[in-house]
């Protein structure tokens, strides 16, 4: 077992410890036993992940004295629903999960967000451990306590900030991750470079140009990205300031996901395209030099990610439908859209923009 990252978030509800290292999956019970009083645990996974990684997690919990059960939700964004939330509550009730017991989210962003919310709301909050199994979950969604479900009128509209007691990431699980899943997670990795860290962005450019990413590069990249996430959440847990920057690419990305129907394109793919469009907007508004969007697009392309709305939209949306979807995004504050823009690579900032102003520029910024 080799620990690559061991760090803490000092959240309003208490400590959340993020531990990343090869082989940790088989030690989850030991982490749990140190911090959970009860001895009942429910592991939530999905129909893809369950077959691959559930057994070692259950075995580890049982070895550490837990009576551990599991429940599987269907893989895919559709499971981030009120219906699945209710399935989890029923399961917790059926297994007699009390406030001192444990819920483990074993999966990617969907399982993590859904399970985190179910744990936050069960008996007003039961301990949860996040065990990410997708790249996106490793570097973003499992860390920082955002939990929630989608509603028919928008993504993540019902949810809670609820810090997991532990985030236990074992990069060995990424070996079984389908390539498309890995690729979409890379968009969130590139995001950290774009908004905070030029040197990291350049490392990614260099590594992508050299061909497939090596295991050791992937490990370092995960540790770096997760480290950024922890740093940001420690500075601004409830997204009143710097955490907003993590929404780079998300305003247009979420709009595209909404127009196309959630799950039609992977979240990371939509975010990648949204980042290029936001960089183009930064150029158009004179905040950044021309060429910034092209540079981000080149890196995304090298990582096998699409870079324009045309590539992902399949002719299904227009600037107008995207604009309407963007207006219903919860990150719109008052009359303004709060857009994350760049002054350059590594220099993200938030700009309040009038919706009509963005609408007029949309046709120009949507294709690179
Ligand atoms: N995924 C963005 C955040 O956690 O704030």
């Amino acid at each position: 077992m080799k620990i690559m990252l061991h760090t803490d978030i000092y959240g309003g509800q208490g400590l959340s410890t993020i531990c990343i290292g090869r082989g940790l999956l088989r030690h989850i019970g030991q982490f749990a036993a140190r911090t959970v009083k009860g001895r009942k645990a429910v592991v939530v996974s999905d129909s893809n992940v369950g077959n691959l990684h559930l057994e070692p997690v259950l075995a580890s919990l049982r070895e550490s004295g837990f009576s551990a059960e599991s429940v599987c939700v269907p893989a895919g964004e559709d499971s981030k629903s009120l219906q699945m939330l209710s399935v989890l509550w029923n399961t917790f009730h059926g297994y007699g999960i009390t406030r001192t017991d444990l819920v483990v989210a074993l999966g990617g962003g969907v399982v993590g967000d859904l399970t985190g919310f179910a744990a936050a709301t069960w008996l007003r909050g039961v301990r949860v451990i996040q065990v990410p199994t997708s790249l996106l979950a490793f570097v973003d969604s499992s860390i920082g306590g955002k939990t929630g479900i989608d509603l028919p009128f928008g993504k993540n509209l019902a949810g809670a900030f609820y810090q997991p007691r532990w985030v236990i990431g074992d990069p060995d699980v990424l070996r079984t991750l389908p390539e498309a899943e890995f690729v979409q997670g890379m968009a969130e990795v590139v995001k950290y470079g774009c908004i905070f860290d030029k040197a990291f962005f350049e490392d990614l450019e260099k590594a992508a140009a050299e061909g497939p990413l090596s295991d050791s590069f992937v490990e370092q990249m995960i540790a770096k990205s997760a480290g950024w996430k922890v740093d940001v959440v420690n500075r601004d847990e409830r997204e009143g300031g710097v955490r907003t920057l993590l929404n780079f690419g998300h305003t247009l990305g979420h709009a595209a996901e909404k127009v196309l129907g959630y799950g039609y394109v992977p979240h990371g793919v939509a975010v990648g395209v949204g980042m290029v469009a936001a960089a183009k907007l930064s150029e158009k508004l004179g905040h950044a030099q021309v060429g910034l969007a092209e540079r981000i697009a080149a890196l995304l392309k090298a990582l096998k990610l699409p870079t324009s709305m045309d590539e992902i939209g399949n002719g299904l949306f227009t600037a107008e439908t995207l604009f309407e979807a963007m207006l219903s995004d919860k990150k719109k504050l008052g009359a303004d859209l709060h857009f994350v823009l760049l002054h350059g690579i590594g220099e993200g900032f938030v700009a309040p923009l009038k919706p009509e102003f963005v609408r007029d520029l949309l046709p120009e910024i949507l294709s690179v």
Side-chain angles (χ1 to χ4, degrees), residues 140-141 143-146 161 188 191-192 229 232-233 237 239 243-244 246-247 250 267:
D140 183 29
S141 61
I143 302 169
K146 276 193 183 175
F161 285 98
E188 299 282 0
K191 183 184 79 179
Y192 291 110
K229 180 78 189 255
V232 169
V233 176
E237 186 183 12
E239 200 174 302
R243 189 164 180 171
T244 312
L246 298 182
N247 295 327
H250 284 59
H267 175 68

Side-chain angles (χ1 to χ4, degrees), residues 13-189:
Q13 300 145 339
L15 194 65
S16 177
T17 304
I18 292 81
C19 211
I20 297 180
R22 292 203 183 276
L24 286 184
L25 208 64
R26 291 173 192 283
H27 297 271
I28 282 169
Q30 291 158 28
F31 288 97
R34 275 159 55 186
T35 42
V36 177
K37 283 203 197 95
R39 280 297 172 267
K40 277 189 191 164
V42 178
V43 183
V44 183
S45 67
D46 72 24
S47 43
N48 291 335
V49 167
N51 292 335
L52 297 167
H53 307 301
L54 190 54
E55 274 319 311
V57 173
L58 287 174
S60 169
L61 287 165
R62 287 172 185 153
E63 274 162 29
S64 295
F66 286 89
S67 134
E69 304 287 350
S70 66
V71 56
C72 233
V73 301
E77 184 75 24
D78 284 354
S79 282
K80 261 178 78 168
S81 64
L82 202 49
Q83 191 201 353
M84 280 305 145
L85 182 64
S86 158
V87 166
L88 295 194
W89 285 333
N90 280 323
T91 306
F92 299 165
H93 173 67
Y95 290 146
I97 295 294
T98 68
R99 212 186 254 170
T100 56
D101 291 321
L102 172 69
V103 171
V104 178
L106 172 69
V110 169
V111 166
D113 286 7
L114 170 72
T115 308
F117 191 38
T121 44
W122 182 247
L123 305 178
R124 300 199 179 91
V126 57
R127 279 266 152 101
V128 65
I129 297 183
Q130 292 278 350
V131 185
T133 59
S134 70
L135 180 60
L136 193 144
F138 262 85
V139 300
D140 183 29
S141 61
S142 70
I143 302 169
K146 276 193 183 175
T147 71
I149 57 170
D150 302 332
L151 296 177
F153 20 91
K155 246 177 104 82
N156 298 326
L157 285 184
F161 285 98
Y162 190 67
Q163 294 296 345
R165 177 59 191 86
W166 296 93
V167 178
I168 307 291
D170 179 347
D172 279 342
V173 303
L174 296 176
R175 293 187 201 281
T176 54
L177 194 67
E179 195 195 358
E181 272 295 311
F182 185 86
V183 164
Q184 70 143 328
M186 285 305 297
E188 299 282 0
V189 173

